[in-house]
Amino acid sequence: MGGKPRLQAWDWGPPHQPAVLLLHGAAQQGRVWDGVALRLGGFRVVALDARGHGASDAAGTGHYAPDDYVGDVLCVLDHLESPAALVGHSTGSLVAMIVAATQPERLWAAVFIDIDPRPPDSQRERLRTAGRAPARRFGSLEEVETGLKRLAPGIADADARRLAETGYASDAGGQLYQRLDPLTLAEFPQFDNRALLPLIGVPTLVVRGAESTVSSEEAARAAVEALPNGAMSTLPGSHQLHLQHPAALGDALR
């Protein structure tokens, strides 16, 4: 990719079907979408590991700015060779908003899941603090699964095990650590996409978890009002809707 980090993407469905590109949030990876992707029959579903996450390469200091993430998404869209529905969760939504506003001809729909277009400073600082802390080590897959179940209450046991197996690696001492460049968090940028929303002309769905503490109902409704072709869906659950309620989210996407 001409000097860009090597990117990993996960692909479901025949190439001739309408494309759906899924973008995960901070400190996650493409396989968090498995449960949703399996409920989107009739589409070609692709989930990207963002740079520095999962099986994609790290990029180094200074290469985790919004424009870098956007450029990676455009590379995947080039590979798909057809317009896609762009679905983002959390940070993935913030990146998706920029793509939808600046490259509308590349999309046929957009979905923004559980994030304010201008997140509070406290969210950014919380992520930056986490990125500066020593990387946590786990003694077993069971310990990782326990942590995932705290993050996403209600996640299926099989999904927690799959994410533990695919999102973590072993160090020389046999301890497990997350496949994540901590600089993606330590250098986390502040997004403010409010002015971009009126530029997004494709049909757009704003999804919020009813118990979310990350996305406010007020900001979600304001986003829908700013979108030329927007709609809103509120689902049971908190921030990790794709892990907590993949069936309900899949239905909303359809």
Side-chain angles (χ1 to χ4, degrees), residues 77-207:
L77 291 174
D78 287 342
H79 178 76
L80 292 176
E81 298 181 338
S82 65
L86 190 57
V87 180
H89 169 254
S90 198
T91 303
S93 291
L94 297 169
V95 175
M97 291 174 192
I98 300 173
V99 175
T102 60
Q103 303 280 335
E105 71 282 359
R106 311 293 296 272
L107 307 181
W108 56 268
V111 182
F112 309 140
I113 302 171
D114 211 70
I115 196 70
D116 293 351
R118 201 291 186 187
D121 292 344
S122 58
Q123 290 182 13
R124 179 193 60 182
E125 292 311 312
R126 188 160 52 249
L127 291 173
R128 288 186 168 188
T129 298
R132 298 184 190 109
R136 186 177 176 185
R137 292 300 198 263
F138 299 86
S140 67
L141 286 173
E142 289 73 22
E143 285 187 26
V144 175
E145 290 175 51
T146 298
L148 289 168
K149 290 176 180 178
R150 284 196 297 266
L151 175 71
I155 185 174
D157 290 344
D159 291 341
R161 172 54 63 115
R162 182 191 69 255
L163 292 177
E165 293 174 342
T166 60
Y168 291 75
S170 297
D171 62 19
Q175 295 284 296
L176 296 170
Y177 63 93
Q178 188 176 14
R179 297 178 183 272
L180 174 72
D181 183 352
L183 288 176
T184 65
L185 301 180
E187 298 180 351
F188 195 84
Q190 179 57 277
F191 290 81
D192 187 351
N193 291 340
R194 290 172 293 184
L196 297 179
L197 298 180
L199 306 178
I200 300 173
V202 297
T204 304
L205 180 66
V206 175
V207 181

Side-chain angles (χ1 to χ4, degrees), residues 18-71:
V20 179
L21 178 56
L22 305 174
L23 307 180
H24 63 76
Q28 296 197 344
Q29 44 125 341
R31 297 298 299 275
V32 298
W33 292 106
D34 279 26
V36 174
L38 294 175
R39 291 167 170 86
L40 293 178
F43 298 91
R44 181 187 183 183
V45 182
V46 176
L48 176 66
D49 284 359
R51 59 171 61 200
H53 297 71
S56 288
D57 286 347
T61 303
H63 294 283
Y64 294 110
D67 286 349
D68 297 303
Y69 290 120
V70 168

